[in-house]
Amino acid sequence: MSVPAFSDIAKAANDLLNKDFYHLSAGTLEVKSNTPNNVAFKVTGKSSHDKATSGTIEGKYLDKPNGLTLTQTWNTANTLETKIEMADNLAKGLKAEGIFSVLPATQARGAKFNLHFKQSNFHGRAFFDLLKGPTASIDAIVGNEGFLAGASAGYDVQKAAITGYSAAVGYQAPTYTAAIAATDNLSVFAASYYHKVNSQVEAGSKATWNSKSGNTVGLEVAAKYRLDPVSFVKAKINDRGVAAVAYNVLLREGVTLGVGASFDTQKLDQATHKVGTSFTFES
């Protein structure tokens, strides 16, 4: 199995616990389309439970033979962002990214430069914010026979000081993964586990302890059950008694519906529950 990026050492468990739960937004609409000349368009709109709406339009051009990807986005906060990616141009496994943003209303600008280098047993990344600080963030992870170990660090060039550091270890197999991470200057500890029980059932959990805030350990568990080839259900609950359920179904080719809800099991008589829906159209 390939070595993941440092932030993805617990990706399988994190995806099971966080993806495809639709209650966070009251409504989400996403439309995707592709043109014959390798241009992909995506429009996303969201409505929050506070009745605020937001949206993003994205266009992406892929020149696969030359390893070039150009992405342009514009959102309702009036932020324009251009991302240029070049993969395997200078060396095999090396990807360079340039991300440039501007807010026309305030003339605020951003410029970032990122490097990703991936080999069979190594995955390293470097992120540079050229206008803020400037700052740099570097992480790397090595792997051998399923065992993973990595670390990350942030550095402020102007202050000549380390701004943060983290470390993580893990193990990945075809049907299960486990990871332990220490973040926020090794003060927040998280242990996660994911298991693909069979072709229909997936299960995972995550325990988190913040050494700065006391001895309480937060726990979250989730499960996913595939009903048939085009639909699945998910459920999760945490140590505070907050539960969430979701249902995803492919209505027809290119049309996906997601429905989700969350509720506080200790406050069932109060209006703390949230319901959300999601429609995705692809062509």
Side-chain angles (χ1 to χ4, degrees), residues 22 35 48 101 107 118 122 135 155 163 186 199 252 262 279:
Y22 307 104
T35 67
S48 73
S101 61
Q107 296 301 309
K118 187 175 182 180
F122 175 81
T135 61
Y155 185 76
T163 57
L186 308 185
S199 60
R252 53 175 294 179
S262 72
F279 276 99

Side-chain angles (χ1 to χ4, degrees), residues 165 181-190 207-218:
Y165 48 89
T183 58
D184 195 13
N185 299 337
L186 308 185
S187 65
V188 179
F189 301 88
T208 306
W209 174 51
N210 188 337
S211 62
K212 294 180 179 179
S213 60
N215 295 321
T216 303
V217 176

Side-chain angles (χ1 to χ4, degrees), residues 34-265:
N34 296 277
T35 67
N37 59 339
N38 297 323
V39 178
F41 291 97
K42 181 171 71 172
V43 179
T44 304
K46 291 185 177 182
S47 174
S48 73
H49 293 285
D50 297 326
K51 298 183 179 181
T53 59
S54 62
T56 302
I57 182 170
E58 175 187 290
K60 179 182 289 188
Y61 171 71
L62 174 63
D63 184 0
K64 194 171 183 179
N66 295 312
L68 175 67
T69 303
L70 175 64
T71 306
Q72 179 70 60
T73 62
W74 189 22
N75 61 32
T76 49
N78 200 16
T79 301
L80 291 165
E81 183 179 278
T82 301
K83 182 178 182 180
I84 303 172
E85 303 171 68
M86 294 181 292
D88 300 323
N89 296 82
L90 302 176
K92 185 67 175 178
L94 177 64
K95 182 174 74 171
E97 299 175 342
I99 305 173
F100 310 95
S101 61
V102 61
L103 280 74
T106 63
Q107 296 301 309
R109 289 177 169 80
K112 298 179 181 180
F113 178 67
N114 306 326
L115 292 172
H116 304 249
F117 184 62
K118 187 175 182 180
Q119 296 294 302
S120 58
N121 294 319
F122 175 81
H123 197 150
R125 305 182 301 174
F127 305 93
F128 304 93
D129 193 323
L130 304 178
L131 300 183
K132 293 182 180 179
T135 61
S137 178
I138 300 173
D139 63 51
I141 189 166
V142 294
N144 184 41
E145 296 183 351
F147 291 95
L148 305 169
S152 71
Y155 185 76
D156 190 311
V157 176
Q158 189 174 19
K159 296 180 181 178
I162 295 176
T163 57
Y165 48 89
S166 305
V169 294
Y171 181 78
Q172 60 178 9
T175 59
Y176 65 92
T177 64
I180 299 175
T183 58
D184 195 13
N185 299 337
L186 308 185
S187 65
V188 179
F189 301 88
S192 59
Y193 177 73
Y194 165 84
H195 186 194
K196 186 173 184 180
V197 181
N198 52 45
S199 60
Q200 292 178 294
V201 180
E202 299 173 47
S205 63
K206 185 176 184 179
T208 306
W209 174 51
N210 188 337
S211 62
K212 294 180 179 179
S213 60
N215 295 321
T216 303
V217 176
L219 180 64
E220 196 171 19
V221 296
K224 177 179 177 180
Y225 181 74
R226 183 161 289 282
L227 300 170
D228 52 53
V230 297
S231 65
F232 63 81
V233 292
K234 295 183 70 175
K236 68 176 181 178
I237 190 169
N238 62 27
D239 61 290
R240 299 180 303 279
V242 179
V245 293
Y247 173 69
N248 178 288
V249 60
L250 181 66
L251 298 176
R252 53 175 294 179
E253 185 177 357
V255 182
T256 303
L257 167 66
V259 180
S262 72
F263 47 92
D264 192 329
T265 59

